[in-house]
Amino acid sequence: MNQVIEENEQEAWWFIVSQGKLVALDKGELIPFGSINDLPFPEGATVNKRLLGEYNGASCYLVELDDFLDVGLGDYVTLRSLLGRVPDLLFDMSGRALQIALFYKTHQFCGQCGQKMQEIDWEIAMKCYHCQHRAYPRVSPCIIVAIRKHKQILLALHKRHQQSNYPVYTTLAGFTEAGESLEACIEREVFEEVGIKVKNIQYVSSQPWPFPHSLMMGFTADYASGEVCADTHELVEANWYDADNLPIMPKHGTIARKLIEKTLKRCR
Ligand SMILES: [Zn+2]
């Protein structure tokens, strides 16, 4: 028993990142797992590992490499390509790895005085010892809301989805502004995008959305007043849909789909 634990302690998940992509295997859980000695890093490569957290009882490490250095394990892939192909928590950890790698890359110099920043070793932060300014990885709060009117749900086709192979009709979403509560953000975004007022705003759950560093905070709400009029800067169209006559929906595993399913249950 002890031996198994010892062996497990040495094995870890490896998030090998270069220029915004990460190494994925073409089998199993896709993220490389094993002891560092099993990883065929080329001789001379500087392997600087940073602890990200734990998954399934094993440590998760970030390794940043230059120029898509071939580690002989698999190709460098985009995070988006892992969506729905790895377990949710492993996907979130992959997002964390890429966000932290991006954070270190973009915080080499102090935003206040321009001096070189130094890594702090007890938390994930960069500090300027010249002016004491400290920076942390950016997380951008973003609301996402499914709206119900009696037995119908409001779904919109976003301009960014129009040209894709999978033109989904989905919920409304938007970034929280400085000084704004989540509730005020929902009221503002919904009014700006479709011209209606909502009520009964209820929090459901959240999902890190690392493209590049959003935190989606999911809500449901009910229609209160107004006529739907889609803002053509962001939307192609927005309409009320019956539960038995729906357009193309977001994929399972996304918070948008979860909010839609929850709202459809209330519609029926
Ligand atoms: Zn400074």
Side-chain angles (χ1 to χ4, degrees), residues 138-210:
R138 241 169 100 184
V139 177
S140 302
C142 187
I143 63 90
I144 177 163
V145 59
I147 304 164
R148 179 184 70 110
K149 183 185 183 186
H150 309 301
K151 293 189 163 193
Q152 293 185 307
I153 183 169
L154 183 77
L155 295 171
L157 175 60
H158 290 251
K159 276 195 162 167
R160 65 176 184 279
H161 291 146
Q162 189 184 16
Q163 304 298 338
S164 84
N165 298 327
Y166 195 73
V168 285
Y169 282 69
T170 187
T171 48
L172 301 179
F175 287 105
T176 313
E177 292 188 351
E180 192 174 49
S181 70
L182 298 174
E183 293 81 0
C185 177
I186 290 166
E187 288 169 4
R188 176 183 55 76
E189 279 289 341
V190 170
F191 191 73
E192 280 175 10
E193 291 190 22
V194 293
I196 62 170
K197 302 272 188 193
V198 291
K199 60 183 181 184
N200 302 336
I201 294 170
Q202 299 280 334
Y203 175 71
V204 178
S205 64
S206 64
Q207 182 177 45
W209 196 242

Side-chain angles (χ1 to χ4, degrees), residues 234-249:
E234 290 192 41
L235 305 177
V236 180
E237 58 173 329
N239 304 295
W240 297 107
Y241 290 92
D242 290 321
D244 57 3
N245 185 25
L246 295 164
I248 302 177
M249 304 266 276

Side-chain angles (χ1 to χ4, degrees), residues 110-115 117 128-133:
C110 178
Q112 185 160 265
C113 77
Q115 296 285 315
M117 300 275 268
C128 171
Y129 286 90
H130 189 252
C131 76
Q132 310 306 316
H133 175 61

Side-chain angles (χ1 to χ4, degrees), residues 71-146:
V71 288
L73 289 167
D75 291 333
Y76 286 88
V77 301
T78 63
L79 182 61
R80 213 172 267 278
S81 73
L82 296 182
L83 251 183
R85 293 173 60 216
V86 296
D88 288 352
L89 289 175
L90 211 46
F91 179 80
D92 289 348
M93 193 63 81
S94 305
R96 179 169 162 77
L98 285 165
Q99 286 178 78
I100 287 169
L102 180 69
F103 165 69
Y104 284 118
K105 198 174 165 184
T106 54
H107 289 78
Q108 294 296 305
F109 296 92
C110 178
Q112 185 160 265
C113 77
Q115 296 285 315
K116 190 107 178 92
M117 300 275 268
Q118 308 288 332
E119 263 187 69
I120 292 174
D121 59 8
W122 68 90
E123 60 179 353
I124 294 177
M126 293 288 271
K127 185 173 176 180
C128 171
Y129 286 90
H130 189 252
C131 76
Q132 310 306 316
H133 175 61
R134 199 182 286 204
Y136 294 91
R138 241 169 100 184
V139 177
S140 302
C142 187
I143 63 90
I144 177 163
V145 59

Side-chain angles (χ1 to χ4, degrees), residues 12-73:
W13 298 91
W14 298 92
F15 297 81
I16 303 161
V17 170
S18 186
Q19 298 179 36
K21 292 186 172 182
L22 78 171
V23 170
L25 313 175
D26 55 9
K27 58 180 191 299
E29 293 187 280
L30 306 188
I31 302 301
F33 179 78
S35 94
I36 194 161
N37 300 325
D38 299 337
L39 297 179
F41 288 114
E43 220 165 300
T46 322
V47 177
N48 178 14
K49 62 174 190 175
R50 301 178 203 271
L51 185 64
L52 293 168
E54 257 196 17
Y55 173 72
N56 237 352
S59 298
C60 297
Y61 289 106
L62 165 65
V63 174
E64 292 156 277
L65 297 177
D66 295 328
D67 303 326
F68 299 124
L69 196 67
D70 185 8
V71 288
L73 289 167

